[in-house]
Amino acid sequence: QRQPVPGLDGRFDLDVGSVGKLAAWLGRPLPEAQPDPGPLKVEAMLAGDGQIVTLQEAKITGRDLQATAKGSYDGSGEVKKIALTVDSGVLDIDRYLPPPVETETPAQVEKKAIPARPEDPFAGLSDEPFDLAGLKGTEADIKVTLGGLKAAGFELGRVDLATLLQGGVLTTELRSLALYGGTVKGQAKLDGAGTALAADVAMQVDKVDVGALVKAATKGKAPAKGIASGSLEASGRGASPRALAESLKAHLKADLGGIEVANKQAAALTELKLEADLPGLEAAPSLKADLIYNQEPVTLDLALAPVREMLSGGPFPLTAKVASALVTAVYEGKLRRQPVPGL
């Protein structure tokens, strides 16, 4: 149907006898060492009734690719309503993807000239007010449950994600993400019910195998190993992108144990606990760290000037202290960035 809103009313079927042959026909053949994923089927039943379109059921069936979905769109009222539920087992996306398009190597990127850092890091952000009509004029209820996901060389375990948009408030909750022996949970909230946009993020990471994660990210090379846990809390509020960025506050905690580093000079570091506080542009950030180096506990305390003062380009106060049972070092003074970095 085309009126009152575009939509389909009927059954859709896609039947691919060989994904490998189809990829070759489209000019993106799979690597010779990559087996043909085989057949792939997509089935969907849709119903359209005026301004209401319903996805009664959709199925994707392939080797290591099983997923179902259902949902609806209701545009009959002043507030548009969207509902979607996706459920699947382990999705092996890599099995179906052609080789990635070649990109520049790190060495090629380094050869490029590094652009000058602007004095105002927020200069590129707009002062135009946010258009919050989309948040206020839409309601959505989206749930995604995956048994696992293999994509771009990464392997994720069970994923449980839910998004709710109501009354101009968008809340996305990552109820659980199994990641390399550990878990990641968190919540992100955008509140556009008023005249400004408020953002709040809270994330928790528990016992993730950093070595396995780095190995996946570097395609087999793992210069560091360890088990990581931590948390991040961030919030801000503003009527424009720039105002929101300037209002951001954040607090980070990280705990990395069982560290193994390929670099010989850094190999003596076996544990690291880090806590960083960014209380806003007008307040002074701080950094504290506790680490084990050559079996000796070491503490690091770093106190800086307010962020806005540091961004001004002029000298700013710096207090740094490194202490252990063997040695203590303290610096109290200023740090300058122009015309050359110095103390």
Side-chain angles (χ1 to χ4, degrees), residues 21-55:
K21 292 181 180 179
L22 177 62
W25 180 65
L26 295 175
R28 295 293 303 279
L30 300 176
E32 292 184 3
Q34 182 175 340
D36 187 343
L40 176 67
K41 290 186 177 182
V42 179
E43 305 169 83
M45 286 293 298
L46 302 108
D49 182 11
Q51 297 192 54
I52 301 176
V53 180
T54 303
L55 175 62

XYZ file of all heavy atoms in Angstrom, residues 21-55:
256
model
N 28.264 -18.626 -3.989
C 28.097 -18.382 -5.418
C 27.466 -17.012 -5.678
O 27.818 -16.333 -6.643
C 27.252 -19.491 -6.038
C 27.952 -20.854 -6.069
C 27.061 -21.911 -6.709
C 27.774 -23.268 -6.733
N 26.923 -24.330 -7.333
N 26.543 -16.626 -4.819
C 25.913 -15.316 -4.964
C 26.946 -14.204 -4.762
O 26.971 -13.225 -5.522
C 24.772 -15.159 -3.962
C 24.061 -13.801 -3.958
C 23.403 -13.533 -5.307
C 23.037 -13.730 -2.827
N 27.824 -14.340 -3.747
C 28.848 -13.337 -3.488
C 29.803 -13.215 -4.681
O 30.189 -12.116 -5.075
C 29.618 -13.687 -2.219
N 30.167 -14.364 -5.265
C 31.055 -14.341 -6.432
C 30.376 -13.666 -7.618
O 30.989 -12.902 -8.356
C 31.476 -15.761 -6.782
N 29.097 -13.944 -7.801
C 28.339 -13.350 -8.906
C 28.235 -11.835 -8.765
O 28.237 -11.092 -9.747
C 26.952 -13.988 -8.948
C 26.069 -13.466 -10.043
C 26.256 -13.593 -11.392
C 24.855 -12.720 -9.873
N 25.221 -12.982 -12.084
C 24.354 -12.443 -11.175
C 24.135 -12.293 -8.765
C 23.180 -11.740 -11.376
C 22.960 -11.591 -8.975
C 22.496 -11.320 -10.266
N 28.198 -11.367 -7.501
C 28.103 -9.932 -7.232
C 29.465 -9.244 -7.235
O 29.559 -8.045 -6.966
C 27.409 -9.687 -5.885
C 25.938 -10.116 -5.815
C 25.407 -9.947 -4.401
C 25.095 -9.305 -6.800
N 30.532 -10.010 -7.520
C 31.859 -9.421 -7.605
C 32.593 -9.313 -6.292
O 33.638 -8.660 -6.224
N 32.101 -9.943 -5.214
C 32.767 -9.942 -3.914
C 32.922 -11.371 -3.427
O 32.311 -11.788 -2.443
C 31.945 -9.124 -2.897
C 31.837 -7.647 -3.201
C 33.178 -6.932 -3.087
N 33.759 -7.122 -1.771
C 33.418 -6.427 -0.689
N 32.484 -5.496 -0.770
N 34.026 -6.644 0.466
N 33.724 -12.185 -4.131
C 33.851 -13.598 -3.757
C 34.465 -13.772 -2.371
O 35.256 -12.942 -1.913
C 34.774 -14.150 -4.839
C 35.563 -12.973 -5.307
C 34.616 -11.813 -5.249
N 34.062 -14.835 -1.717
C 34.636 -15.168 -0.423
C 36.059 -15.684 -0.627
O 36.396 -16.202 -1.698
C 33.790 -16.238 0.271
C 32.324 -15.881 0.545
C 31.600 -17.086 1.149
C 32.214 -14.687 1.478
N 36.938 -15.545 0.376
C 38.298 -16.094 0.252
C 38.254 -17.599 -0.034
O 37.331 -18.297 0.411
C 38.913 -15.801 1.621
C 38.122 -14.675 2.180
C 36.722 -14.853 1.663
N 39.253 -18.085 -0.751
C 39.275 -19.514 -1.110
C 39.268 -20.397 0.131
O 38.707 -21.499 0.108
C 40.501 -19.806 -1.970
C 40.458 -19.157 -3.349
C 41.650 -19.566 -4.202
O 42.458 -20.391 -3.723
O 41.779 -19.053 -5.324
N 39.908 -19.941 1.191
C 39.964 -20.746 2.411
C 38.675 -20.693 3.221
O 38.500 -21.478 4.158
C 41.138 -20.284 3.281
N 37.777 -19.789 2.862
C 36.525 -19.661 3.601
C 35.461 -20.534 2.959
O 35.150 -20.389 1.785
C 36.058 -18.205 3.611
C 34.768 -17.966 4.403
C 34.409 -16.491 4.499
O 35.257 -15.622 4.316
N 33.150 -16.200 4.786
N 34.902 -21.470 3.718
C 33.904 -22.371 3.133
C 32.620 -21.638 2.736
O 32.271 -20.611 3.326
C 33.635 -23.381 4.261
C 33.995 -22.660 5.520
C 35.138 -21.759 5.152
N 31.953 -22.171 1.748
C 30.668 -21.616 1.317
C 29.657 -21.773 2.455
O 29.443 -22.878 2.957
C 30.186 -22.369 0.075
C 28.934 -21.750 -0.530
O 28.259 -20.958 0.154
O 28.623 -22.078 -1.687
N 29.030 -20.675 2.906
C 28.045 -20.796 3.989
C 26.852 -21.664 3.622
O 26.121 -22.119 4.499
C 27.602 -19.341 4.209
C 28.705 -18.516 3.660
C 29.247 -19.289 2.509
N 26.652 -21.874 2.303
C 25.529 -22.704 1.896
C 24.259 -21.912 1.687
O 24.290 -20.710 1.422
N 23.103 -22.537 1.852
C 21.826 -21.864 1.573
C 21.440 -20.863 2.652
O 21.863 -20.956 3.804
C 20.830 -23.024 1.518
C 21.442 -24.080 2.376
C 22.923 -23.955 2.203
N 20.610 -19.905 2.244
C 20.099 -18.894 3.159
C 18.655 -18.580 2.777
O 18.345 -18.388 1.600
C 20.938 -17.615 3.078
C 20.459 -16.429 3.924
C 20.608 -16.735 5.401
C 21.224 -15.163 3.556
N 17.776 -18.559 3.774
C 16.370 -18.256 3.529
C 15.892 -17.128 4.436
O 16.270 -17.063 5.605
C 15.496 -19.499 3.765
C 15.670 -20.603 2.735
C 14.659 -21.724 2.984
C 14.781 -22.807 1.919
N 13.770 -23.880 2.105
N 15.070 -16.266 3.865
C 14.430 -15.194 4.625
C 12.938 -15.242 4.325
O 12.522 -15.248 3.158
C 14.992 -13.812 4.245
C 14.280 -12.723 5.043
C 16.495 -13.745 4.496
N 12.127 -15.307 5.388
C 10.668 -15.341 5.243
C 10.056 -14.267 6.124
O 10.510 -14.054 7.252
C 10.120 -16.703 5.666
C 10.736 -17.894 4.943
C 10.346 -19.207 5.578
O 9.248 -19.706 5.262
O 11.114 -19.714 6.415
N 9.045 -13.599 5.608
C 8.382 -12.552 6.401
C 6.913 -12.458 6.023
O 6.557 -12.544 4.842
C 9.069 -11.213 6.181
N 6.075 -12.305 7.030
C 4.639 -12.077 6.840
C 4.317 -10.670 7.336
O 4.575 -10.333 8.495
C 3.819 -13.108 7.613
C 3.819 -14.484 6.992
S 2.948 -14.535 5.398
C 1.294 -14.072 5.911
N 3.765 -9.833 6.436
C 3.451 -8.456 6.772
C 1.972 -8.177 6.552
O 1.358 -8.749 5.652
C 4.287 -7.489 5.921
C 5.803 -7.644 6.045
C 6.351 -8.276 4.769
C 6.475 -6.316 6.310
N 1.432 -7.298 7.363
C 0.024 -6.906 7.239
C -0.088 -5.397 7.363
O 0.472 -4.795 8.288
C -0.820 -7.598 8.309
N -0.786 -4.788 6.425
C -0.991 -3.352 6.458
C -2.457 -3.019 6.624
O -3.308 -3.561 5.917
N -2.797 -2.132 7.556
C -4.180 -1.724 7.798
C -4.177 -0.229 8.085
O -3.986 0.201 9.224
C -4.759 -2.502 8.970
C -6.222 -2.149 9.232
O -6.821 -1.464 8.379
O -6.749 -2.552 10.288
N -4.386 0.563 7.033
C -4.346 2.001 7.216
C -2.947 2.452 7.603
O -1.966 2.167 6.912
N -2.846 3.161 8.713
C -1.555 3.660 9.176
C -0.865 2.699 10.128
O 0.108 3.066 10.786
C -1.743 5.021 9.843
C -2.273 6.080 8.896
C -2.183 7.468 9.497
O -1.120 7.902 9.931
N -3.305 8.172 9.522
N -1.343 1.473 10.191
C -0.726 0.461 11.044
C -0.136 -0.634 10.155
O -0.829 -1.225 9.335
C -1.748 -0.158 12.018
C -2.349 0.932 12.910
C -1.092 -1.233 12.869
C -3.442 0.430 13.832
N 1.166 -0.863 10.309
C 1.855 -1.905 9.558
C 2.442 -2.894 10.564
O 3.131 -2.497 11.509
C 2.973 -1.324 8.673
C 3.683 -2.430 7.910
C 2.402 -0.292 7.700
N 2.162 -4.171 10.359
C 2.605 -5.189 11.311
C 3.507 -6.213 10.637
O 3.174 -6.741 9.574
C 1.391 -5.924 11.919
O 0.527 -4.974 12.543
C 1.845 -6.938 12.958
N 4.641 -6.451 11.253
C 5.509 -7.563 10.866
C 5.099 -8.736 11.754
O 5.510 -8.836 12.910
C 6.981 -7.207 11.081
C 8.004 -8.332 10.829
C 7.968 -8.790 9.375
C 9.408 -7.871 11.213
